Amino acid sequence: MSIMRLPLAAVAVAGAALLAGCAGGSSTTPTATPTPTAVPTTTAAAATTHAGGAVAKCVFADLEAALGATTGEAGQRHTTVVWTNRSAKPCTMTGFGGVDLTGPNDPTFGATYSLPRSSKTPSTVTLAPGATAHTTITWLPPQDGPGWTPTGMAVTPPDETRSATVGWPGGAVLRQDGATSPGTFIDPVAPGSQS
């Protein structure tokens, strides 16, 4: 077996280069080689949940409607319709829905008073199972005379076509069908059972 011998000068140069690479010295700062960083799994999971787990809108079958409180004395009064999420999953409500007061046939306007919307801007309300949202009805009693007294209300959730029937809290309403600035109107849905 033969042993290969390197010339002494080559060994000296290689050793000096090795020592220079390891010595670094205090006057120079070593630079780190950038290493790729992994995206945290929580960020990826959050993005997946947000994209694929959006909360669906409340549909008529999810909701139960009930008559809430009435406040106010003379002048405008405020009655709430309370929406309860009866499903096992959260859902969202956005917008106005509809309210039709029903009662005796008025010779001028008929037996139904479809209430106009207020100028308030709707926002999205998320209802957990069992949670509530409400629609506020602002209504104007008659200033003179007996007015028109509803016997019930047909209430429709936002973006739905089916309605639930709830009672009327009592009291006559001034009919203003077609008025440009009526004193009776509905607000968009809001969280909780009343304002």
Side-chain angles (χ1 to χ4, degrees):
M1 174 160 110
S2 63
I3 297 175
M4 185 174 163
R5 297 180 187 254
L6 292 175
L8 186 58
V11 171
V13 171
L18 181 61
L19 286 175
C22 293
S26 60
S27 63
T28 60
T29 305
T31 56
T33 305
T35 57
T37 54
V39 176
T41 55
T42 53
T43 304
T48 302
T49 301
H50 179 68
V55 178
K57 79 175 185 74
C58 300
V59 295
F60 183 81
D62 296 336
L63 301 168
E64 178 181 272
L67 183 64
T70 296
T71 59
E73 299 298 328
Q76 285 180 325
R77 296 184 184 165
H78 310 281
T79 297
T80 57
V81 174
V82 179
W83 301 100
T84 303
N85 179 7
R86 293 297 181 201
S87 75
K89 295 181 180 179
C91 62
T92 61
M93 297 180 81
T94 306
F96 287 88
V99 174
D100 295 323
L101 304 183
T102 57
N105 188 43
D106 181 271
T108 305
F109 301 115
T112 302
Y113 186 9
S114 297
L115 303 187
R117 298 172 174 181
S118 73
S119 59
K120 290 186 177 179
T121 302
S123 60
T124 300
V125 177
T126 302
L127 296 178
T132 59
H134 69 278
T135 300
T136 299
I137 302 165
T138 298
W139 54 282
L140 190 62
Q143 306 305 306
D144 297 310
W148 181 77
T149 304
T151 55
M153 289 189 285
V155 293
T156 309
D159 300 320
E160 285 291 300
T161 56
R162 291 191 289 167
S163 301
T165 302
V166 295
W168 177 247
V173 176
L174 176 64
R175 294 280 299 254
Q176 295 177 302
D177 303 57
T180 55
S181 297
T184 300
F185 51 84
I186 61 172
D187 286 337
V189 291
S193 56
Q194 68 180 51
S195 299

